[in-house]
Amino acid sequence: MNNKAVILGCNYYIGLSTIRCLGINGVHTVAVDYSNKHTYGADSKYTSERLIAPHYKEDTAAFIQFLKDYARKQSAPPVLIPCHDSYLEVIDEHLSELREHYLIPQDEPGIYTNMMNKEVLQRLALENGVAVPETVRVDENNFYEKIDQIIKFPCIVKPTDSPSFVAKFRRKLFKVHNRAELEQALADAQEANLEVIVQRIIPGFDDHMYTFDAYLNQDSKVTHWVTCQKFRQYPINFGASVYTGQKYVPELFEIGAPFLEKMKWKGFAEIEFKKDAETGKFYLIEVNCRITNLNNLLYKVGVNFPWITYQELTGNIVPPKAVKENTNRVFWYGYEDMLAIRDYIKAGQLTWKQVLGSLFKPKAYAIWDWKDPKPAFSYASIIGGKFMNKLLRR
């Protein structure tokens, strides 16, 4: 295999999982980060090369030039796989010039950014008959009247640009319970120069969150897919998955596949849905355009999305596959799940009996792997260092 795989962002387990999914198949993997700090994903035995690039936002021009210079030295175009939304935004902005040097699933500039923009995504979903939570824009007429009559409290204030919002506030959204909290959230967003929208909260506990994970070929047809059910998130209720199980839900395919195909999507995508606890209706919440947190679970149940991507882009088609059974396997991010369990129990949303009963299912670990243990030890060292710093500051 002459084509290398350049993986952007290995300071998180998404990059680690991607490296493993490719390296186990003999692909030459190149871990790219802007710093050596906390890049435990690159400690995998499946990492073939490690590179330090200019920071993708602090010096975007130098970062793009770095990628192009690296690709020019190779005997065949590398496959480019971003493992963080911020990298994806930069790639989208420079898609045309990067495609001259790299193999990338998408060929339409702007499609990644549009799908990640919550306001644009809502419009696209509604235009194509996919339900989304009721939403009010901040500059609409009779804003507070619409909040009281349509949205109601509590509600959520969401960014249109998630990566910038998370970078600023270290959270995905604001949950507000009254007008005073709403006004404060809007003021905070305005001060940070970040655009936000206000949405109704779809009723239902965290186990009403589902995902449709799919690969679309270069003809924009779904060829591979898996559906999953979330059980726990961190931060609780509006965070990232820390305990999620594979579950066959054909209705998610019936909603998600036509939508992505109409969007002319190519490559991997994950649609997050929430099932209304009162009506049973599925609402589209967001679309993840890069490899998902759940990637190791998807791999363990038989669908290796990074490898499928690599194979198609290098001219080797992988036969279509869908997981149409319940495997009982769960994705588990142990460290943050412990924090989540603490908060769920404190909030009275789960009992210890419910939690303990959930811990005996076969797992796809976020970080640990018996055959590749070094990243887990590196991660443990990072967490240990954080605890020591907290103790020393007291």
Side-chain angles (χ1 to χ4, degrees):
M1 285 178 280
N2 293 326
N3 305 86
K4 297 180 178 181
V6 173
I7 295 107
L8 304 179
C10 301
N11 59 348
Y12 197 51
Y13 57 81
I14 296 177
L16 169 62
S17 177
T18 300
I19 288 170
R20 285 171 171 165
C21 281
L22 294 169
I24 204 166
N25 285 294
V27 177
H28 182 108
T29 59
V30 185
V32 178
D33 288 278
Y34 57 83
S35 165
N36 279 319
K37 187 178 181 182
H38 296 169
T39 55
Y40 62 89
D43 288 337
S44 169
K45 71 176 185 180
Y46 298 107
T47 301
S48 308
E49 256 183 276
R50 298 179 72 159
L51 301 174
I52 300 300
H55 195 284
Y56 55 90
K57 277 203 171 177
E58 292 175 5
D59 196 348
T60 303
F63 171 70
I64 297 298
Q65 191 62 49
F66 174 90
L67 291 180
K68 288 159 64 175
D69 289 344
Y70 179 80
R72 287 191 184 105
K73 298 173 186 175
Q74 310 310 313
S75 61
V79 175
L80 188 62
I81 303 181
C83 291
H84 190 281
D85 289 342
S86 294
Y87 281 112
L88 199 60
E89 286 183 329
V90 174
I91 288 173
D92 199 24
E93 187 179 345
H94 299 270
L95 186 62
S96 297
E97 58 182 306
L98 285 173
R99 278 179 60 84
E100 294 177 9
H101 305 276
Y102 286 89
L103 301 177
I104 302 170
Q106 295 291 3
D107 55 9
E108 181 185 330
I111 193 168
Y112 287 128
T113 304
N114 284 340
M115 201 68 87
M116 289 192 293
N117 183 291
K118 300 298 187 293
E119 196 166 15
V120 174
L121 176 61
Q122 185 207 28
R123 175 176 56 78
L124 293 172
L126 290 173
E127 287 174 356
N128 289 279
V130 178
V132 291
E134 291 83 350
T135 302
V136 176
R137 289 170 41 240
V138 177
D139 59 357
E140 285 188 34
N141 293 329
N142 305 315
F143 173 75
Y144 286 105
E145 185 179 321
K146 290 177 180 176
I147 296 296
D148 292 334
Q149 294 180 1
I150 301 171
I151 307 298
K152 303 187 185 327
F153 291 106
C155 58
I156 54 177
V157 178
K158 290 176 67 173
T160 57
D161 176 14
S162 287
S164 298
F165 188 93
V166 171
K168 172 65 179 177
F169 295 110
R170 312 307 301 171
R171 62 174 78 180
K172 295 174 72 174
L173 50 80
F174 296 130
K175 181 180 180 182
V176 297
H177 300 81
N178 51 54
R179 179 162 175 166
E181 290 184 6
L182 174 59
E183 290 175 343
Q184 184 60 56
L186 297 179
D188 289 346
Q190 184 176 28
E191 185 178 347
N193 199 30
L194 293 169
E195 186 179 355
V196 292
I197 53 179
V198 184
Q199 280 189 344
R200 177 173 80 93
I201 296 175
I202 304 301
F205 181 57
D206 289 2
D207 61 1
H208 283 62
M209 294 293 297
Y210 293 81
T211 67
F212 171 66
D213 294 273
Y215 186 84
L216 287 83
N217 64 18
Q218 290 298 294
D219 295 322
S220 295
K221 297 297 180 186
V222 173
T223 57
H224 300 76
W225 59 276
V226 185
T227 54
C228 302
Q229 179 182 11
K230 291 190 178 185
F231 293 106
R232 295 193 288 271
Q233 305 179 97
Y234 186 77
I236 65 172
N237 307 139
F238 298 102
S241 173
V242 291
Y243 186 89
T244 293
Q246 178 275 324
K247 183 176 182 179
Y248 176 48
V249 186
E251 189 176 349
L252 299 181
F253 172 80
E254 293 163 10
I255 301 170
F259 175 68
L260 291 174
E261 290 177 354
K262 287 176 185 175
M263 294 299 101
K264 303 297 182 185
W265 192 262
K266 296 176 181 179
F268 174 80
E270 177 186 77
I271 303 180
E272 291 194 18
F273 291 94
K274 187 166 187 183
K275 185 177 183 180
D276 191 313
E278 297 170 1
T279 67
K281 185 175 182 178
F282 284 101
Y283 288 82
L284 185 153
I285 302 300
E286 67 178 353
V287 177
N288 291 318
C289 303
R290 38 83 189 144
I291 299 297
T292 173
N293 299 45
L294 312 176
N295 186 56
N296 195 37
L297 171 63
L298 307 178
Y299 166 68
K300 292 289 187 182
V301 300
V303 185
N304 185 337
F305 283 106
W307 175 238
I308 293 164
T309 304
Y310 180 90
Q311 284 286 78
E312 190 194 23
L313 294 180
T314 56
N316 303 294
I317 307 303
V318 180
K321 182 173 182 177
V323 180
K324 297 184 178 181
E325 60 182 359
N326 294 325
T327 63
N328 199 40
R329 189 176 289 274
V330 295
F331 164 80
W332 193 43
Y333 183 19
Y335 171 65
E336 287 200 350
D337 190 35
M338 293 299 105
L339 301 177
I341 288 168
R342 174 199 66 190
D343 293 346
Y344 280 119
I345 291 173
K346 187 177 179 181
Q349 297 181 16
L350 286 176
T351 65
W352 277 112
K353 184 178 179 181
Q354 289 172 312
V355 169
L356 292 173
S358 73
L359 295 178
F360 295 97
K361 292 184 177 183
K363 296 180 181 65
Y365 297 100
I367 300 171
W368 175 253
D369 188 325
W370 284 103
K371 296 178 180 178
D372 186 26
K374 188 177 178 182
F377 292 120
S378 299
Y379 181 75
S381 175
I382 294 166
I383 298 301
K386 288 181 179 179
F387 276 122
M388 286 302 297
N389 286 337
K390 283 185 179 180
L391 289 173
L392 292 172
R393 284 200 299 266
R394 287 180 178 176

